[in-house]
């Protein structure tokens, strides 16, 4: 049994909406974190990842010009980004299952649908800290292992090497949606 | 940062050694920190005095985007601008205390995102969505059981789904005709 020392965790919040940034900042301060950086678009977010070197990135998806998904794509490139292993929470109003799958295929660690609450944000951060997943690099993918739950009886094709998520990871997503 | 890399069946497994758990976990305490969640809820509550102003600002942004649509007509750019604002409202309205603004905002997002030809954007239907969202905020409707708002949202969703179905049918038929015409020319 253990709990998180939030005062040792730093965050970067990327969202073009000032109100949403203030909401997330307040929640993180409430948890106990004091190092919360902000960026208002994907380009500033990428710069912030390099310069602040935060422990966790929380980003919106829909932003003008350079969106959250493009930001994830730029970060999940160990050859060009110095912080390619940073855990990423995609915080978005998109709630469709295909969007969750798309985000995971780009290397998002956790997906959080708006409206945001203290509990839902805490749960994602808790999962990142307590249940870290190894990263996988193949020709078409770099990011956290998309298979959240190991099935020791699985005897099918190894799909981790493919860009698209396999059925076994699809099962994980179904579990996430209840 | 040191990363342990192993390879198996053509897949590289990367395990960075700076696990956050090693740095920020306090052992020997309860697993879920309910006090931290409560503190965050209190922090959110302390902000709530500003929520009405924030929602009004969001509505002002929505009306500005709608005014540009009226001036320039429906096109990819004017609809995208409206989409961004309505998407923000869809995501925030419940947290900001106006949950019934999310229904028409969601329907508006769907309309703007799924319309096959932006230049055929239905300005009247968009106006009805904008008016419905702003009415929830203007009238300070925070009760999730407010029947008039629920009914307006339900009807907007039905009309939007119907409109998108018709537009997609027209678009598909147009594409088929175009394809047949191209085949005939070849």
């Amino acid at each position: 049994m253990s709990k998180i020392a939030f005062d040792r965790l730093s965050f970067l919040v990327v969202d073009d909406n000032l109100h949403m940034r203030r909401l997330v900042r307040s929640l993180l301060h409430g948890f106990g974190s004091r190092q919360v950086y902000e960026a208002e678009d994907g380009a500033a977010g990428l710069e912030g990842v390099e310069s602040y070197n935060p422990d966790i990135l929380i980003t919106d998806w829909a932003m003008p010009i350079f969106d959250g998904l493009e930001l994830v794509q730029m970060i999940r490139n160990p050859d060009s980004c110095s912080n390619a292993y940073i855990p990423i929470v995609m915080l978005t109003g998109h709630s469709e299952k295909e969007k969750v799958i798309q985000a995971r295929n780009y290397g998002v660690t956790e997906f959080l649908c708006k409206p945001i609450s203290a509990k839902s944000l805490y749960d994602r951060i808790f999962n990142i800290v307590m249940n870290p997943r190894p990263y996988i690099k193949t020709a078409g993918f770099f990011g956290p292992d998309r298979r959240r739950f190991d099935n020791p009886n699985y005897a099918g094709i190894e799909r981790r090497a493919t860009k698209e998520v396999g059925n076994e990871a699809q099962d994980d997503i179904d579990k996430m949606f209840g | 940062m040191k990363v342990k890399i192993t390879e198996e069946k053509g897949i590289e497994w990367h395990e960075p050694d700076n696990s956050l758990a090693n740095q920020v976990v306090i052992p020997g305490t309860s697993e879920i920190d309910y006090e931290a969640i409560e503190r965050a809820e209190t922090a959110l509550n302390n902000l709530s005095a500003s929520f009405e102003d924030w929602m009004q600002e969001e509505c002002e942004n929505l009306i500005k985007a709608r005014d540009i649509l009226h001036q320039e007509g429906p096109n990819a750019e004017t609809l995208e601008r409206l989409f961004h604002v309505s998407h923000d409202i869809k995501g925030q309205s419940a947290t900001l205390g106006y949950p019934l603004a999310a229904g028409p905002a969601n329907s508006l997002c769907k309309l703007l995102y799924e319309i096959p030809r932006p230049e055929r954007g239905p300005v009247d239907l968009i106006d009805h969505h904008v008016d419905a969202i702003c009415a929830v905020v203007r009238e300070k409707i925070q009760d999730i059981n407010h029947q008039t708002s629920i009914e307006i949202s339900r009807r907007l969703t039905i009309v939007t789904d119907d409109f998108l179905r018709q537009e997609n049918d027209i678009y598909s038929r147009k594409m088929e005709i175009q394809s047949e015409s191209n085949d005939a020319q070849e």
Side-chain angles (χ1 to χ4, degrees), chain A:
Chain A
M1 294 296 197
S2 44
K3 73 175 179 183
I4 299 168
F6 274 92
D7 57 340
R8 292 182 217 154
L9 272 180
S10 61
F11 294 86
L12 173 62
V13 181
V14 185
D15 199 311
D16 60 316
N17 188 291
L18 172 67
H19 300 148
M20 187 48 72
R21 291 202 307 273
R22 286 186 66 183
L23 284 174
V24 177
R25 171 187 279 275
S26 294
L27 290 171
L28 294 171
H29 282 172
F31 292 149
S33 179
R34 288 292 163 263
Q35 283 178 278
V36 182
Y37 306 102
E38 292 182 21
E40 60 182 18
D41 58 44
L46 185 62
E47 214 175 287
V49 166
E50 299 280 2
S51 54
Y52 301 128
N53 196 25
D55 294 314
I56 295 175
L57 170 68
I58 299 172
T59 182
D60 184 24
W61 184 320
M63 292 183 284
I65 305 166
F66 185 170
D67 70 19
L69 213 54
E70 288 168 305
L71 174 62
V72 175
Q73 197 172 24
M74 307 278 268
I75 291 170
R76 293 287 187 237
N77 185 347
D79 298 328
S80 63
C81 181
S82 62
N83 203 350
Y85 298 97
I86 184 174
I88 301 173
V89 181
M90 179 66 85
L91 171 62
T92 174
H94 289 302
S95 51
E96 305 84 1
K97 196 189 273 192
E98 56 270 28
K99 292 284 185 188
V100 181
I101 294 168
Q102 192 183 3
R104 285 178 56 146
N105 286 342
Y106 272 75
V108 162
T109 318
E110 293 287 333
F111 196 89
L112 178 52
C113 290
K114 294 175 188 171
I116 191 173
S117 70
K119 178 72 167 63
S120 60
L121 181 60
Y122 179 89
D123 285 346
R124 299 312 185 281
I125 297 167
F126 184 88
N127 219 14
I128 282 171
V129 174
M130 301 297 191
N131 306 306
R133 283 173 281 153
Y135 285 72
I136 282 180
K137 189 178 182 193
T138 70
F141 176 75
F142 176 76
D145 186 4
R146 289 165 288 181
R147 212 178 291 172
R148 217 173 263 263
F149 307 98
D150 254 344
N151 177 2
N153 299 321
Y154 181 73
I157 301 163
E158 177 55 88
R159 293 191 184 86
R160 284 182 171 110
T162 64
K163 174 133 180 90
E164 298 307 317
V165 73
N167 288 343
E168 58 278 20
Q170 181 65 57
D171 291 345
D172 296 347
I173 291 165
D174 290 339
K175 281 178 195 167
M176 285 165 68
F177 276 84

Side-chain angles (χ1 to χ4, degrees), chain B residues 20-79:
Chain B
L20 286 177
N22 295 336
Q23 301 169 45
V24 303
V25 167
I26 305 168
T29 48
S30 67
E31 193 161 313
I32 302 287
D33 189 351
Y34 292 104
E35 280 178 18
I37 295 170
E38 265 177 40
R39 282 197 310 272
E41 280 168 351
T42 304
L44 206 57
N45 205 34
N46 291 341
L47 270 185
S48 63
S50 308
F51 289 173
E52 188 182 333
D53 290 343
W54 291 7
M55 276 304 284
Q56 277 172 4
E57 279 175 41
E58 297 293 348
C59 285
E60 282 163 19
N61 290 338
L62 189 65
I63 289 167
K64 270 185 212 159
R66 193 248 306 260
D67 288 347
I68 295 170
L69 167 74
H70 284 178
Q71 285 158 18
E72 298 179 11
N75 58 49
E77 202 179 319
T78 52
L79 297 199

